[in-house]
Amino acid sequence: MKASVVNAVGGGFAVQELQLAQPQGREVLVEVKASGLCHSDLTLANAGLVYAPPAVLGHEIAGVVIAVGEAVSDCRIGDHVVACLIQFCGHCVPCLSGHTHACLNPDATLRAPGEPARLQTAQGSSVNQGFGLGGFAAQVLAHENQVIVIPKALPFEEAALLGCGVLTGAGAVLNTAKVEHGQSVVVIGAGGVGLSAIAGAVLAGASRIIAVDVAEAKLQRACLLGATDTIDSSQHDPVLAVKALLPGGADYVFDFVGVRAVVEQGLQMLGKGGGLYLVGIGDGSTTVDLRTFDLMLNHNRIEAVYMGSSNAKRDIPFYAEMALTGRFNLAALVSRRIALSQIDEGYLALKDGATARVVITDFEH
């Protein structure tokens, strides 16, 4: 099969032919129809983190099941599915409590040491498979715990986004923060994940949903997802602008940027009892000085978010149903469709404020 491979740290993505094993045990073979570009894969590729080259990254996947291992029970050949990067064993205490995103044994979804690799070069050398998936490829072989059946009516390019961006953004609002009806929400950073948070806030029944960004095109798209107000922080002080709209401060602020200045602004936007949720990681080294006494007096809290505290087997079918019933505008998130050979170009396109999400839909070129 064709796959886009990272052969050297910072060396970009190159299409080549790889060998893919047949499914065994609880493995599912998926013909990929759409694969979204997420910034975290670019970070891993450029920094050489987690998966040493050669590696196939990509973790926002939608496709069709074409083969299953003998022990698979969650899906059948012909099912339309989303493959998700949340790896979970299903047996540890967090998993049994429904918190699969916090699984203690995620490697249980991988082949055991000594077994043949799922991915190999034509010469038989092993190729690392990002997040147990390797979605920048024509086919994916994954554990059934990472494969979720979706309605066939949902377009693949929209469904692919459910595997990461939507889970993280909407999940931060619905699962981590548990925003309630009538509360106020500020979303800083209206990229694909931030836009999903806005849609999640709509589902939660938030009374005021304020999008903050420096790109006017992103703010316009935020309105399509349900933002009630927008603030261009390149033109206005975002803290003062939020306080003008919400004199008592916000109940919830979600930071999808992850730099020091934004974290500090988010704290200043909070009302009494409000919470700041850190979703964006920036370059991963952001530090902030905190006045803990002020936090205590204002009853504020700060919480980091991983994958929207999601249970993919529960949440992905829910978001898919919301999209099909017109309550989650997934189509507005898809800005550009590319071929497998255009991943480097696709990541450059994501720097454009008018681009929300780029999706690979052509796996022949």
Side-chain angles (χ1 to χ4, degrees), residues 155-240:
F156 289 115
E157 61 193 37
E158 297 176 25
L161 306 184
L162 299 176
C164 177
V166 171
L167 275 186
T168 300
V173 173
L174 297 170
N175 298 329
T176 312
K178 295 180 173 62
V179 172
E180 297 182 353
H181 178 80
Q183 295 183 306
S184 58
V185 168
V186 176
V187 172
I188 308 176
V193 186
L195 291 170
S196 296
I198 290 170
V202 173
L203 292 176
S207 60
R208 209 73 180 262
I209 306 170
I210 302 171
V212 181
D213 205 286
V214 296
E216 181 60 31
K218 291 185 179 181
L219 294 174
Q220 291 176 7
R221 186 174 279 109
C223 293
L224 296 177
L225 272 295
T228 61
D229 306 270
T230 62
I231 296 170
D232 184 340
S233 55
S234 70
Q235 302 296 321
H236 306 281
D237 182 308
V239 177
L240 294 179

Side-chain angles (χ1 to χ4, degrees), residues 128-142:
N128 281 320
Q129 185 186 34
F131 300 103
L133 297 174
F136 292 159
Q139 296 181 353
V140 160
L141 182 62

